[in-house]
Amino acid sequence: MGDKKIKTALISVYHKNNLDKIVKKLHELGVKIFSTGGTQKFISDMGIEVTTVESVTDYPSILGGRVKTLHPKIFGGILARPDNQTDRTEMEQYHIEAIDLVIVDLYPFEATVATGASEDEIIEKIDIGGISLIRAAAKNFNDVVVIPSQEQYNILLDLLNEKSGTTSIEDRKNLALEAFNVSSHYDTAIFNYFNANRQKKAFKKSVLDAMPLRYGENPHQSGVFYGNFDQVFKKIHGKEISYNNLLDIEAAVYLIDDFEETTFAILKHNNACGIACRPKLADAWKDALAGDPVSAFGGILITNTKVDKETAAEIDKLFFEVIIAPAYEDDALEVLKSKKNRIILIRTDFSLPVVQHRSLLNGVIEQDRDTKTETVADMKTVTKKQPTASELKDMEFANKVVKHSKSNTIVLARNKQLLASGVGQTSRVDALKQAIDKARNFGFDLQGSVMASDAFFPFPDCVEIAGMAGITAVIQPGGSIRDQESTDYCDKHGLAMVVTGTRHFKH
């Protein structure tokens, strides 16, 4: 253990970018280099002496390059323990030379899958020799330095430049950690390719990208986002994104994706506090804000339309945390960037996963994301009164909003505008009363509005309260054993009601 001087190196890499700097430095330090295949040619073409693996093993590369380094003289040189007398004796007996440094960069399996390549092409990109070299060198970190991917090239170059090829046990153990991170991620990617249909019930997820957060849900909790945020958004302005920002951003994206016409939404604590669809974006913003101008303060804003200067000028009057849009006009950005901490995001065309995971107790639960969105065609009228065309459109709108609100939830809407919602309540009646009170507090007349519920009505009390408030049409999943009581009330008091057969709980 302790400090070790690199005297020999085995290099077998897929990506050669920046490898030349390492090779030159190793040569300068007098390190003997072993290599094979394309890497060996790359080094030779640099005019640097390199010993072929084939000359060490007395065996050629076979099976189209599938077998090159898998040989006792290679793995013995990596796994040998210099302080073990038996190992030293066997190395002398079998003429095995110690290997102090192993540099590997694996076949790009994930990148090949992402191109939509054929199965044969993908299978050929499953690295065998490279992954074995990584594991062997990492296991023997007491004596061997391992560089498992091009991501660690700069770490090695710094060690070579600053310490002239000498490494400490801490250096080698840290690189072993990097190595097992690379190898476990690689194997997980291969497993998930073969398990694309989720036929094997095993949870394996590996994410190499990590974005430290200021803190978790609260300042006394630590937080990290594992994922490539830049795949989904281009951040063009503002402060560091927080844990709570991320939760709201996800909720906002899933909500807006259910709307095709020009829409603006404002979210707070994962729920829409304002949303409206209008031909003109500035009008959509104005009517979304009217839904709850109090809760909108410090909220998350999202639209599916390019933001113009007129809309930006109106938005600028409100304090908000984040705005998300597919694009912004230049003069709109000038307005929005006036506050240095505002987070401004551009949405990319990245497709979000359709499977969700959540840590729970001592495990993880998995489910398909709720991607079902009902249209007018999915609505079955169960009352004598038929809903009007405008009521049908409003119920379709309200049902989309209720789908993305915390249960128990009730949404009230009219003219494709959220009038109010009651969210996260332990009873559906409380959710409805909360929604009615909020709507009235913000000056809305509920006459002619529609009501959407995320789940069925176990009793007729909700439709009774709705009818007395002036609501004229109701959309709900149906399925209660007492559905008929709600239908009877609607028939008696002139309300229209439709059922969809689909519940949208969200917790």
Side-chain angles (χ1 to χ4, degrees):
M1 297 188 190
D3 290 353
K4 297 278 185 178
K5 181 80 171 178
I6 297 172
K7 298 177 183 178
T8 56
L10 171 64
I11 309 177
S12 179
V13 301
Y14 185 86
H15 292 103
K16 316 291 190 300
N17 298 346
N18 298 318
L19 182 64
D20 56 334
K21 298 175 185 177
I22 293 173
V23 171
K24 287 176 183 177
K25 191 62 183 179
L26 290 173
H27 180 66
E28 179 185 315
L29 294 171
V31 175
K32 183 177 180 180
I33 300 175
F34 301 97
S35 191
T36 186
T39 309
Q40 180 257 319
K41 183 179 184 303
F42 175 85
I43 298 170
S44 293
D45 289 346
M46 290 175 60
I48 290 176
E49 184 179 353
V50 56
T51 301
T52 66
V53 167
E54 290 82 356
S55 69
V56 174
T57 63
D58 291 325
Y59 224 88
S61 171
I62 62 173
L63 306 181
R66 281 188 166 197
V67 181
K68 295 189 286 257
T69 57
L70 294 168
H71 193 282
K73 282 196 172 183
I74 298 300
F75 281 85
I78 296 170
L79 288 164
R81 295 157 293 187
D83 57 351
N84 182 292
Q85 180 58 53
T86 302
D87 286 8
R88 291 201 304 271
T89 300
E90 290 180 348
M91 289 180 74
E92 289 180 20
Q93 180 182 354
Y94 296 110
H95 308 291
I96 297 173
E97 187 170 1
I99 296 174
D100 307 315
L101 167 64
V102 174
I103 305 175
V104 175
D105 186 65
L106 299 169
Y107 291 160
F109 177 82
E110 286 182 282
T112 304
V113 172
T115 65
S118 68
E119 183 170 282
D120 285 347
E121 292 175 291
I122 290 169
I123 298 305
E124 284 306 309
K125 286 298 185 289
I126 298 177
D127 207 310
I128 304 300
I131 203 80
S132 302
L133 291 171
I134 289 172
R135 291 178 63 84
K139 176 177 180 176
N140 204 21
F141 68 87
N142 280 332
D143 300 294
V144 178
V145 179
V146 59
I147 300 299
S149 79
Q150 61 180 336
E151 299 300 321
Q152 289 77 40
Y153 284 1
N154 285 336
I155 296 175
L156 175 60
L157 200 57
D158 289 343
L159 286 173
L160 295 175
N161 287 325
E162 295 169 11
K163 303 173 76 171
S164 300
T166 297
T167 61
S168 66
I169 184 65
E170 291 79 15
D171 294 330
R172 298 191 297 276
K173 194 168 186 177
N174 285 336
L175 286 167
L177 170 65
E178 296 280 354
F180 286 119
N181 186 31
V182 169
S183 65
S184 61
H185 178 82
Y186 197 77
D187 283 340
T188 298
I190 295 169
F191 169 81
N192 285 330
Y193 168 75
F194 280 94
N195 198 42
N197 295 325
R198 294 149 66 193
Q199 63 268 33
K200 179 67 176 177
K201 300 305 176 189
F203 177 73
K204 295 184 188 294
K205 185 79 173 173
S206 178
V207 181
L208 296 179
D209 297 298
M211 183 171 75
L213 305 173
R214 292 198 304 273
Y215 48 79
E217 205 160 6
N218 299 291
H220 62 276
Q221 298 169 266
S222 62
V224 180
F225 171 68
Y226 293 103
N228 188 346
F229 187 80
D230 294 339
Q231 281 185 317
V232 189
F233 302 100
K234 179 182 178 183
K235 182 184 173 188
I236 57 177
H237 186 74
K239 64 182 179 179
E240 183 182 340
I241 292 171
S242 73
Y243 180 98
N244 291 325
N245 288 157
L246 287 171
L247 294 178
D248 284 329
I249 287 168
E250 181 188 59
V253 166
Y254 288 149
L255 170 64
I256 205 71
D257 281 354
D258 271 345
F259 293 87
E260 294 181 1
E261 55 196 303
T262 298
T263 304
F264 218 120
I266 308 167
L267 286 89
K268 198 76 169 287
H269 295 292
N270 310 154
N271 294 298
C273 57
I275 183 170
C277 302
R278 296 289 181 266
K280 186 178 177 182
L281 185 61
D283 293 335
W285 161 252
K286 175 185 173 183
D287 289 342
L289 181 62
D292 188 345
V294 175
S295 296
F297 184 85
I300 306 295
L301 317 183
I302 190 166
T303 180
N304 54 7
T305 304
K306 187 175 187 178
V307 177
D308 54 38
K309 184 179 180 180
E310 179 187 357
T311 307
E314 291 301 314
I315 293 169
D316 189 53
K317 298 174 183 178
L318 177 77
F319 168 73
F320 61 89
E321 289 271 332
V322 181
I323 182 168
I324 308 164
Y328 303 85
E329 292 182 358
D330 290 342
D331 50 4
L333 277 179
E334 286 183 27
V335 174
L336 295 173
K337 287 182 177 180
S338 63
K339 305 294 191 297
K340 67 177 183 178
N341 286 332
R342 280 178 179 166
I343 298 169
I344 303 176
L345 302 176
I346 295 177
R347 176 93 179 271
T348 72
D349 58 1
F350 182 80
S351 297
L352 293 168
V354 294
V355 178
Q356 295 177 314
H357 301 99
R358 182 186 292 186
S359 61
L360 185 71
L361 298 174
N362 63 340
V364 174
I365 52 175
E366 175 184 282
Q367 69 167 356
D368 297 328
R369 181 157 57 88
D370 186 359
T371 57
K372 183 172 174 56
T373 304
E374 291 75 41
T375 65
V376 172
D378 299 304
M379 300 177 193
K380 177 185 176 183
T381 303
V382 293
T383 51
K384 294 176 182 176
K385 182 182 177 183
Q386 296 289 321
T388 65
S390 62
E391 285 174 335
L392 286 170
K393 290 179 181 179
D394 282 342
M395 286 192 289
E396 185 177 39
F397 170 91
N399 197 53
K400 290 177 180 179
V401 179
V402 88
K403 166 187 166 182
H404 294 281
S405 303
K406 296 284 187 179
S407 300
N408 288 313
T409 181
I410 292 288
V411 164
L412 307 180
R414 185 179 56 238
N415 191 24
K416 295 185 179 180
Q417 177 189 19
L418 174 63
L419 304 182
S421 61
V423 298
Q425 299 301 303
T426 52
S427 97
R428 202 157 300 284
V429 170
D430 286 345
L432 174 55
K433 288 179 178 178
Q434 181 189 61
I436 292 172
D437 288 345
K438 281 188 68 176
R440 288 172 174 167
N441 285 341
F442 292 120
F444 288 110
D445 180 359
L446 292 176
Q447 189 63 44
S449 63
V450 305
M451 174 176 75
S453 175
D454 61 334
F456 64 62
F457 301 122
F459 304 101
D461 43 11
C462 279
V463 292
E464 292 172 10
I465 296 169
M468 288 186 285
I471 292 161
T472 56
V474 178
I475 180 170
Q476 55 125 338
S480 168
I481 60 173
R482 305 179 75 163
D483 270 352
Q484 191 59 46
E485 293 179 27
S486 294
T487 302
D488 289 345
Y489 179 88
C490 290
D491 283 341
K492 186 175 180 180
H493 294 86
L495 277 74
M497 184 164 67
V498 302
V499 296
T500 64
T502 301
R503 187 183 74 184
H504 289 294
F505 270 167
K506 184 184 178 188
H507 295 103

